[in-house]
Amino acid sequence: MTADTITAADIRINARWLIPIEPHGVVLEHQAVIIQGAKIAAVLPATQADREFRTRETINLPHHVVMPGLINMHGHAGMSLFRGMADDLPLMTWLNDHIWPAEGRFVSEQFIADGTQLAMAEMLRTGTTTFSDMYFFPEIVAQMAHDTGMRAQVCFPLLDFPTVWGAGPDEYIRKGEALINSWKDDSYIMPAIGPHAPYTVSDGPLTEAVALSERTGARIQIHLHETEFEVADAVEKQDKRPIERLAGLGVLGPRTQCVHMTQVSDSDIAWLVNTGAHVIHCPESNLKLASGLCPVHRLMESGVNLAIGTDGAASNNDLDLFGETRTAAMVAKVVANDAAVLSAHQALQMATLNGAKALGREHELGSLVAGKLADLIAIDLSDPFIQPVYDPASHLVYSNHGRAVTHSWINGVPQVQDGKLTRIDVPDLMIRVEDWAGKIREKQAD
């Protein structure tokens, strides 16, 4: 490009600070992000952008950090309608006595549609642009996300027993393969396979899941080593740890995302390293359910890719990934007994580029680099609770909360403008949410 060449583009975003994630550990000042269509055309100093680009729209953000959109790698979106319904209980009591019975009574296509839209509204408002979901009626979740223009990995459920979505493993696999074929070429929707956990899925269905993944390239997400009881029970009944069983069945590999991993031995780490499987860290859910603590530093030092997720709003109880990232950084230091562990920049990378790697889309998502998809957010650092600003990266992890997000774009399309959602009718959504809440309260009172 010569000095007198002017390039036309769609949007210019002028930022006080910019954290591109790539290169790692960098905070840039007075930068411009140029968007052309669905992609980032350039990231460059504002003075250089003045000389080289003319855009249809210019957005000035003089007190903001601009960074890649957050990637929430694990959740159950529809469960937002169960937020706060069964708190202060251990995992198996929470599941067996409260969540599974409630799902049997209430979960339907409309429940999933409304719960997913509620989850998307919260995630978009707090900086998430891509989320991973593992829940019932995945075809509804996929359509809702696509219609909203939000990126989603949608994992169809796979269990040994009947649910509201199917009679058993054969039907889940059949319907799941149809889901994969329906969405496999979509930029927004990434269909995936979601075996619930080793203790709810037997060897046969897990083997079928592996075969389906190999045929289609779909990723596999599974709850794994979530509690001490899960691991001890497997050792007692099968004489092997769950991760060893999965490795023997071929479940572990570069397309596999292992959620939770609070119970980790040296041999477990070796399995992860040797297979290239990813770990999805959900610290707040693990803390709230007293499930255990993921040894983040040990995993990172071993070369395991760690991304981050909120889990569902019924066990967190929010979907604010900035809050989750803060908790991850704090807990990692305590677990390692080292305050230098999991720096702010490393935590932000877990919430962005590492999630993109787990999805196999790091060439398109997770950092602000020319040629990548234009998924980015802006966070206002002008409020008193974030002042003064010495290090924006530190503020985003340790001082910020997601409500400071003011702007969001996915594929170059605005999803949040000046703190307001552009693609979700919030008043209408709240009417439907309150209707569900009334039904659930009525049943709880019976």
Side-chain angles (χ1 to χ4, degrees):
M1 180 179 292
T2 62
D4 58 352
T5 300
I6 301 296
T7 301
D10 292 328
I11 302 171
R12 171 175 169 170
I13 302 166
N14 293 322
R16 174 65 177 84
W17 299 280
L18 187 139
I19 299 178
I21 302 299
E22 291 183 295
H24 178 73
V26 170
V27 178
L28 303 172
E29 296 192 57
H30 305 296
Q31 297 287 298
V33 180
I34 309 297
I35 298 175
Q36 177 61 35
K39 293 188 175 182
I40 298 170
V43 179
L44 70 174
T47 53
Q48 185 180 348
D50 292 341
R51 299 191 301 270
E52 297 182 3
F53 288 93
R54 294 292 179 269
T55 55
R56 292 187 298 101
E57 181 181 7
T58 297
I59 300 166
N60 292 311
L61 301 173
H63 307 292
H64 296 64
V65 181
V66 170
M67 65 173 290
L70 306 183
I71 299 177
N72 184 347
M73 276 303 300
H74 180 67
H76 313 282
M79 293 183 81
S80 291
L81 291 174
F82 291 145
R83 189 195 317 263
M85 187 188 72
D87 286 340
D88 305 321
L89 298 168
L91 174 64
M92 298 316 296
T93 303
W94 178 79
L95 275 175
N96 290 319
D97 298 348
H98 298 272
I99 296 302
W100 284 342
E103 287 174 341
R105 286 194 296 268
F106 296 109
V107 172
S108 63
E109 291 190 6
Q110 192 59 51
F111 179 97
I112 295 298
D114 294 339
T116 298
Q117 191 170 54
L118 178 62
M120 288 193 298
E122 180 181 0
M123 286 189 283
L124 286 168
R125 272 291 288 109
T126 53
T128 291
T129 54
T130 298
F131 70 100
S132 181
D133 189 63
M134 181 197 285
Y135 210 44
F136 304 112
F137 298 103
E139 66 278 11
I140 302 297
V141 178
Q143 195 64 57
M144 293 293 297
H146 185 271
D147 290 350
T148 302
M150 193 170 185
R151 251 180 262 285
Q153 174 181 262
V154 180
C155 308
F156 72 83
L158 177 60
L159 306 102
D160 281 346
F161 48 83
T163 67
V164 292
W165 193 60
D170 290 343
E171 185 174 2
Y172 300 140
I173 290 287
R174 177 177 56 79
K175 292 171 78 171
E177 186 162 12
L179 179 83
I180 292 169
N181 291 332
S182 296
W183 294 100
K184 62 183 178 182
D185 297 321
D186 194 83
S187 175
Y188 289 98
I189 305 304
M190 296 156 274
I193 306 163
H196 174 260
Y199 57 86
T200 54
V201 189
S202 54
D203 287 1
L206 284 172
T207 302
E208 289 189 53
V210 172
L212 180 58
S213 175
E214 291 175 348
R215 286 199 307 274
T216 62
R219 304 188 102 69
I220 296 173
Q221 184 170 107
I222 183 168
H223 301 98
L224 184 61
H225 288 212
E226 185 171 1
T227 65
E228 183 179 5
F229 172 79
E230 173 197 336
V231 177
D233 189 56
V235 170
E236 180 182 341
K237 293 176 178 176
Q238 300 162 353
D239 199 29
K240 62 179 66 172
R241 294 168 72 82
I243 196 169
E244 183 181 357
R245 173 180 160 231
L246 295 188
L249 294 170
V251 176
L252 298 184
R255 291 192 296 268
T256 308
Q257 303 157 2
C258 305
V259 182
H260 297 304
M261 292 302 295
T262 70
Q263 314 297 315
V264 179
S265 67
D266 289 343
S267 64
D268 299 335
I269 294 177
W271 283 118
L272 294 168
V273 171
N274 293 335
T275 60
H278 311 266
V279 169
I280 312 303
H281 181 32
C282 303
E284 293 187 2
S285 175
N286 296 155
L287 288 168
K288 184 164 181 281
L289 293 170
S291 298
L293 302 171
C294 178
V296 167
H297 183 59
R298 285 174 59 206
L299 291 167
M300 291 178 66
E301 288 288 290
S302 300
V304 176
N305 180 54
L306 271 89
I308 193 165
T310 57
D311 211 343
S315 63
N316 185 306
N317 292 11
D318 65 67
L319 307 181
D320 178 353
L321 204 65
F322 274 116
E324 201 76 27
T325 302
R326 177 183 184 181
T327 302
M330 298 287 199
V331 170
K333 298 175 192 306
V334 173
V335 172
N337 194 30
D338 184 350
V341 162
L342 195 59
S343 69
H345 282 284
Q346 288 175 314
L348 291 175
Q349 182 170 315
M350 282 180 64
T352 53
L353 186 60
N354 289 9
K357 289 177 180 176
L359 294 168
R361 296 189 68 176
E362 66 270 26
H363 61 294
E364 296 180 293
L365 303 170
S367 60
L368 298 186
V369 175
K372 286 197 173 187
L373 293 169
D375 291 15
L376 59 157
I377 59 175
I379 307 99
D380 186 359
L381 299 188
S382 66
D383 281 342
F385 61 78
I386 317 180
Q387 289 292 317
V389 178
Y390 301 115
D391 179 353
S394 173
H395 272 16
L396 291 182
V397 175
Y398 299 117
S399 301
N400 173 54
H401 57 77
R403 293 177 188 176
V405 172
T406 58
H407 294 73
S408 171
W409 297 263
I410 302 176
N411 253 25
V413 176
Q415 287 283 350
V416 179
Q417 288 183 312
D418 296 318
K420 303 294 183 183
L421 293 165
T422 65
R423 303 287 295 270
I424 295 176
D425 184 341
V426 175
D428 178 68
L429 171 62
M430 290 302 100
I431 291 171
R432 285 177 278 128
V433 169
E434 185 51 40
D435 184 55
W436 282 112
K439 294 175 183 176
I440 292 168
R441 289 189 198 102
E442 184 179 336
K443 284 293 183 183
Q444 283 184 305
D446 289 348

